[in-house]
Amino acid sequence: EPFAQWVLEDAFALGRPPYEDVGVHMVDDVRPYELMKLRLLNDGHQALGYFAYLDGYRLVHDAAQDPLYREFLLGYMDAEAAPTLAPVPGVDLGGYQRTLIERFSNAAVRDSVARLCADTSNRIPKWLLPVIRAQLQRNGPIARSAAVVASWARYAEGVDERGEPIEIVDQLADQLMAMARRQREDPLAFIANRDLFGDLVDDRRFVEAYRFALSSLYERGARATLQAIVAHKG
């Protein structure tokens, strides 16, 4: 792909080569750039993956070229993730978000949706849940983030919307599938796992948004759920 970005913290004890001469961005503090990547790129993959797989997509670029998915992703990035980030020196966050969508849409990469959905128990708790907690604290929007969690819960049942089996690739696969398969009777069964979700199950606003998305996934499916969330702009 044509995109390249290298950021290094300029904290070398014994000098360094002139990395900036080959396009490396040397900075005093790398943390804002790291959070930007995690909460926009990595979480963007999570926002796309479970919905896309349930909806029948198997290649990332096919889903990312779908206008509905593009609108959902940009809404997540702009309204929910970006407000939790500190200023990133030298980066236009709006431009970075649009670049991410184009990167996801690149057919030459041919990334698989299944890869995005693997090892989620190591991803969403570290990358997405901090966005949700920050937005809850500032009374910001969480509808898209909560829907991503719900899409993971639905995906973790191990069966797609066509009744085809899903291979759950995760170190906690058995535990996740057992939790997910209880949620049709107990809608909070998945997020009740405090090792993964902490006290989010106790937060009324998160639970309301999560239950709406999970119920919609069962009643209407992935695509109609995204359409409803996008239409509400919330």
Side-chain angles (χ1 to χ4, degrees), residues 120-121 124-125 128-129 132-133 136 145-146 148-150 152-153 175-176 179 183 188-203 206 210:
T120 310
S121 65
I124 280 184
L128 182 66
L129 298 192
I132 293 172
R133 292 191 175 97
L136 288 171
S145 299
V148 176
V149 178
W152 174 30
Q175 181 181 351
L176 295 172
M179 290 156 42
Q183 64 196 359
L188 303 185
F190 196 78
I191 61 170
N193 185 317
R194 293 180 183 271
D195 290 337
L196 291 175
F197 296 100
D199 61 357
L200 282 177
V201 71
D202 301 323
D203 188 282
F206 172 74
Y210 172 83

Side-chain angles (χ1 to χ4, degrees), residues 27-39:
V27 301
D28 294 331
D29 184 358
V30 77
R31 287 173 296 180
Y33 300 87
E34 180 183 26
L35 276 182
M36 176 184 72
K37 175 187 178 292
L38 293 176
R39 296 187 179 183

Side-chain angles (χ1 to χ4, degrees), residues 1-41:
E1 63 173 345
F3 178 87
Q5 182 183 47
W6 291 92
V7 181
L8 282 178
E9 191 164 288
D10 200 353
F12 294 82
L14 299 173
R16 62 171 176 80
Y19 292 121
E20 56 268 48
D21 291 350
V22 292
V24 178
H25 191 187
M26 305 303 300
V27 301
D28 294 331
D29 184 358
V30 77
R31 287 173 296 180
Y33 300 87
E34 180 183 26
L35 276 182
M36 176 184 72
K37 175 187 178 292
L38 293 176
R39 296 187 179 183
L40 296 176
L41 188 154

Side-chain angles (χ1 to χ4, degrees), residues 60-80:
V60 172
H61 67 267
D62 287 332
Q65 290 173 13
D66 184 324
L68 175 62
Y69 282 82
R70 295 170 78 95
E71 187 171 359
F72 178 75
L73 286 172
L74 284 172
Y76 160 74
M77 292 178 187
D78 189 55
E80 300 189 18

Side-chain angles (χ1 to χ4, degrees), residues 100-148:
L100 287 179
I101 300 298
E102 295 312 311
R103 292 176 65 192
F104 294 173
S105 302
N106 185 350
V109 176
R110 294 192 67 80
D111 199 1
S112 71
V113 176
R115 186 192 70 82
L116 305 189
C117 298
D119 301 317
T120 310
S121 65
N122 277 324
R123 296 180 176 186
I124 280 184
K126 294 177 183 177
W127 305 340
L128 182 66
L129 298 192
V131 171
I132 293 172
R133 292 191 175 97
Q135 287 287 55
L136 288 171
Q137 186 173 15
R138 65 196 299 271
N139 200 32
I142 59 164
R144 291 170 177 82
S145 299
V148 176

Side-chain angles (χ1 to χ4, degrees), residues 140-220:
I142 59 164
R144 291 170 177 82
S145 299
V148 176
V149 178
S151 71
W152 174 30
R154 170 63 186 86
Y155 176 91
E157 288 189 4
V159 181
D160 70 12
E161 292 181 357
R162 294 156 184 79
E164 296 296 323
I166 299 172
E167 180 185 6
I168 306 300
V169 179
D170 194 290
Q171 63 181 351
L172 301 179
D174 291 343
Q175 181 181 351
L176 295 172
M177 293 176 73
M179 290 156 42
R181 289 173 177 175
R182 292 199 307 270
Q183 64 196 359
R184 291 182 187 257
E185 290 74 36
D186 176 6
L188 303 185
F190 196 78
I191 61 170
N193 185 317
R194 293 180 183 271
D195 290 337
L196 291 175
F197 296 100
D199 61 357
L200 282 177
V201 71
D202 301 323
D203 188 282
R204 179 194 57 78
R205 196 157 71 90
F206 172 74
V207 167
E208 181 178 319
Y210 172 83
R211 290 190 67 165
F212 167 80
L214 186 63
S215 176
S216 180
L217 282 163
Y218 286 135
E219 295 172 6
R220 298 185 286 182

